[in-house]
Amino acid sequence: MTTDGWDAEEIDPTHRDEWVNGSGISPEITELNLQSLSGPQALEAITSKRLESAGGHGQQYATGEVAKVLNRYEHLDAGGWWCSATGDSGCLKPNTPRKNDKGDLIKYENPLGVPCGVFQLQMPDETYWPERERNCSETIVITEGAKKAAALLSCGIPAIAVAGIWNGTPKDDRDQHCLHPDLMRWAGHRIVICFDYSDKARGRRNVSKAALRLAHQLYANGSPWVGTAHCKGPEKGIDDLLVAHGHAAVHQLIASAQKVDVQRELEDRKEPERIRQAANKFLDCDDEAERAAFRSRFCSNKRINIKDFSSVVNEQLALRHPLQKLESRPLTPDELDAEPVNDARTFFDQLLTERWSTLIGGNRGSTKTILTLQLMVALMKQRSPDVIGLRPEATGLRVLYVCSDAMAERIRDYLTQMGCWRDPEVRKGIRIWGNSHTQRKWTISDLDGLEKQMEEFKPNVVVIDSLKGALGPLLEDISRPIIRHHMDAVHDIVLRSAALLWIHHANKIGKIADNEALQEAPDMVYLLEKEQNELVSLKPIKCRGGEGIRRQYQLQGDFLWPELTEQKKTSDISKVNSDVMEYVRKQNQHDIKPSIRTVTEGLPQHSAEAIKSSIKRLRGKEWLLGKPDPKDLRSCLLEVAPKFFDTPSPPVKGAWPIKNGP
């Protein structure tokens, strides 16, 4: 857009000071190229083309689209400075810039619906640019932004500017990158590309890529030589360098330009991509031995240090889980409701542990999370059920649910399907801490964050779903002492005031975890198994402080709601052993050879399975009887066929009645 139709106004002193003193631009070039616009003029410069195409006769009728544009650019009411580019383009710097969705200030605005032009600024000598265009031996600098070009021109260096680093190579009708039409006239010259410095690695990579793309198009259109002389920092732009160090420093930087070898650059850029592809193949390997072999083979063939390869692996892993860079804190139910709606990520295999320290493991589909949520809801809803050794001291408990694998939205979906999400007691009693669209997951290294949540929310129960997700890369090839150290550190924080439940993976043979150290820290370890008939069994496999609790659940409905079935009688194995030994001794004293069925009927307070297990455990342990008794007929008892469990048999004659229990 040209500003010919606007009433000429005096340049705002603040704007003139920014150019002359802030960027080292000569007063003459400033007067020729800088304009101060009022609010209506600024709005017209940016929106006029878009409003014309929106219909409604521009701004006469506030259609929905027109209103949207005007609301977006209402900050232009405060005015700003303007510099024209080729065509109808240019740039406006508002006095009060707006913020984007990420909260970053947008310092410059370009006209809507207008292709970005090239800044070929006006010079006091009208023959300046025609002479430069005819003299192909003269070097032309391509930079970004009007002020940068003005600063170089003030140093006597011919310079033109693009609106941004990528704007020198827009796409054509075939969706292919090409040289900007307004740069074509300079393609026969020797070119130096001078872009700004970025203090971020990603920014520096973008500058390098944009310069390479522009150099490639300049070479393709006849440029004999293209080099780069980007600002090296700490000064961000060439105008900052001019103000800080003077004309000589600017000339020295441009003179130090290094030629761009496009072919070599392209080949060099392929190598990191090959390493990234290999890193992703490494991550996709399921077997650890296969991973190690692949890494060793690739690093050896490419002569890459394993440490460098591992750093690329970590970068790719972070890209797969970008939420790790977000703020880490739990969400209230109201905050979670405000989260953007999207499909939740699938669960990983998990394992459940609990405070005293109970650890429950199960394979995929064994309903570990569903069962845990059911128990947590029961605790929050003013009931105190039998909860796998948790032994709550009060009802209406508070639960901090830490999702280290699953999206927080997945837990919300489960609670919604359970009909509990809108329950006031549940919404008051739960905090969900995990992957979401605005929060990153918790890892076991974030002990400070965990301690902060324990102090602020004061939960009665902490659920970590799952231990594998919380440990992350630490779980791979890590020593048992280090695993134990991390788990004990969490115990030290949580067990001061709350119960702790973990979820982790159990493999097909019933082994709870990939690393045996994961079973050392908890006091109680359980295995959750799903059977073919939709029964889920919970059985203890390690009980440091008690007998453990056996439970069986029947899965009902599409959501697999676990309902507690009639429980089988459990037995204290030490009591079973002593009762079996006493019964057998008394039968032996009367020269009776009791069968297993006879022992089972004689000890009705114990299950047949417990009695059979006891007899097998006692085999060969004659020291339990004191001195060997020649009349001890246990060996005959142990040789009785198991068929006595399955088929009824007549009572053994002479069985001596033994009274056991009340």
Side-chain angles (χ1 to χ4, degrees), residues 444 447 450 464 486-494 500 502:
I444 206 165
L447 296 176
L450 179 61
I464 296 180
H486 283 290
M487 295 183 69
D488 285 345
V490 174
H491 284 160
D492 289 342
I493 294 173
V494 176
L500 177 62
W502 308 79

Side-chain angles (χ1 to χ4, degrees), residues 291-302:
R291 276 190 178 190
F294 176 86
R295 178 176 57 192
S296 176
R297 184 171 60 254
F298 180 81
C299 292
S300 176
N301 292 341
K302 297 295 182 180

